[in-house]
Amino acid sequence: MVTLQPISRQLTVSIEQGTPNVRPVIKGAMEEAAYTLTSAYGSNQVLGWYARGLKQPKHNEFLYLLFRSIINAASLTSRDFVIQVEGCTGVLVWSLQGNINTWAPSRLADTFKLARLTGFSSALKTSMKFQPSFDKLRRKMMNRDPHLTINYLGVLPNEQRKGFGKALLQHVLTKADEAHYPTYVEVNDTGAVAFFTKFGFTVQGEVNINNTTVTLMVREPNVESLCLVSLQGAS
């Protein structure tokens, strides 16, 4: 298990350094967090395929219901599995061993709501086909060894390129380094591939879903950087 460090719930910005400070999403902010991910993933091709045929505002309603259910499930597993910066300007959902269902709602009520939006057949395919397929690929790639999974990372469109995504991802990668765990992520656009590459992720494979390429990436723990920080702190 990864040892989770206590996170301050008082400040979201370091006054001295002027850098974003990361903290868990509290229960009262889950709807806002779902809205952030809905805005960030509004044009995502894979999620768009699940909501195919839906026009606005039902397309966004579909994404919102999906993300709200995922956030709820992740928070019930651990309050640290859903983190945010700047009042949910950016949100990241992560997990150990990929043990959170990221392709379908966790609650039966939400499944029925999505079914009414997209049709039962589409909702059922989402729940029963894609999650097991990707879980199988992830387990094979990671050799069933302990690892962290980045499930979703999104920043409000008008707040992107301000360091919020970097702050969220670095927070989780530090935990991975401390535990000596690799980190796994699935992305489906070239911009996301380039972003994760900057943090040491490498492409390990690709999967095609309905003419959309999903890239599978892995980052090995950077133990040397932790040793350097420890030595600097001791000097």
Side-chain angles (χ1 to χ4, degrees):
M1 292 289 291
V2 175
T3 301
L4 302 177
Q5 300 298 321
I7 300 172
S8 171
R9 302 172 65 87
Q10 301 300 317
L11 294 175
T12 56
V13 176
S14 169
I15 297 176
E16 295 181 356
Q17 299 180 5
T19 56
N21 207 7
V22 177
R23 63 179 182 176
V25 172
I26 62 174
K27 185 176 182 179
M30 288 185 182
E31 292 186 357
E32 188 175 356
Y35 171 81
T36 295
L37 291 180
T38 297
S39 300
Y41 282 85
S43 60
N44 183 273
Q45 291 180 309
V46 174
L47 294 178
W49 183 82
Y50 298 142
R52 61 195 181 282
L54 291 180
K55 297 181 180 180
Q56 297 295 0
K58 287 189 175 181
H59 179 272
N60 279 353
E61 184 181 352
F62 168 87
L63 293 179
Y64 175 80
L65 287 171
L66 181 65
F67 284 126
R68 189 182 68 180
S69 181
I70 290 170
I71 289 169
N72 180 70
S75 297
L76 288 175
T77 304
S78 170
R79 64 187 295 273
D80 289 304
F81 283 169
V82 186
I83 55 177
Q84 59 93 4
V85 291
E86 287 300 297
C88 289
T89 294
V91 175
L92 188 151
V93 181
W94 64 284
S95 58
L96 291 172
Q97 314 296 99
N99 59 358
I100 296 172
N101 191 321
T102 58
W103 296 93
S106 60
R107 298 185 299 180
L108 186 61
D110 285 337
T111 299
F112 286 132
K113 289 179 181 178
L114 291 179
R116 286 199 297 268
L117 287 171
T118 64
F120 183 76
S121 176
S122 176
L124 190 62
K125 286 181 180 179
T126 301
S127 301
M128 301 184 65
K129 180 179 180 181
F130 292 100
Q131 177 78 25
S133 298
F134 274 89
D135 282 348
K136 184 177 180 180
L137 286 170
R138 175 182 51 78
R139 288 194 298 267
K140 182 179 180 180
M141 182 173 297
M142 306 307 292
N143 297 317
R144 298 183 180 273
D145 292 332
H147 61 276
L148 272 62
T149 297
I150 305 297
N151 299 111
Y152 290 101
L153 169 58
V155 176
L156 291 172
N158 61 338
E159 298 291 344
Q160 294 177 3
R161 301 185 184 279
K162 296 181 180 180
F164 296 126
K166 176 182 178 180
L168 288 166
L169 182 58
Q170 192 58 62
H171 178 84
V172 176
L173 294 182
T174 297
K175 294 181 182 295
D177 290 342
E178 290 172 349
H180 297 189
Y181 283 2
T183 307
Y184 173 88
V185 68
E186 300 162 1
V187 296
N188 66 287
D189 69 76
T190 55
V193 172
F195 173 78
F196 282 101
T197 298
K198 293 179 181 178
F199 292 88
F201 286 82
T202 59
V203 175
Q204 300 296 314
E206 294 182 341
V207 179
N208 188 277
I209 298 180
N210 298 288
N211 299 318
T212 298
T213 299
V214 178
T215 303
L216 314 179
M217 306 183 73
V218 176
R219 174 190 180 270
E220 296 299 328
N222 189 354
V223 181
E224 292 182 1
S225 64
L226 286 177
C227 292
L228 179 59
V229 171
S230 298
L231 289 173
Q232 290 176 341
S235 61

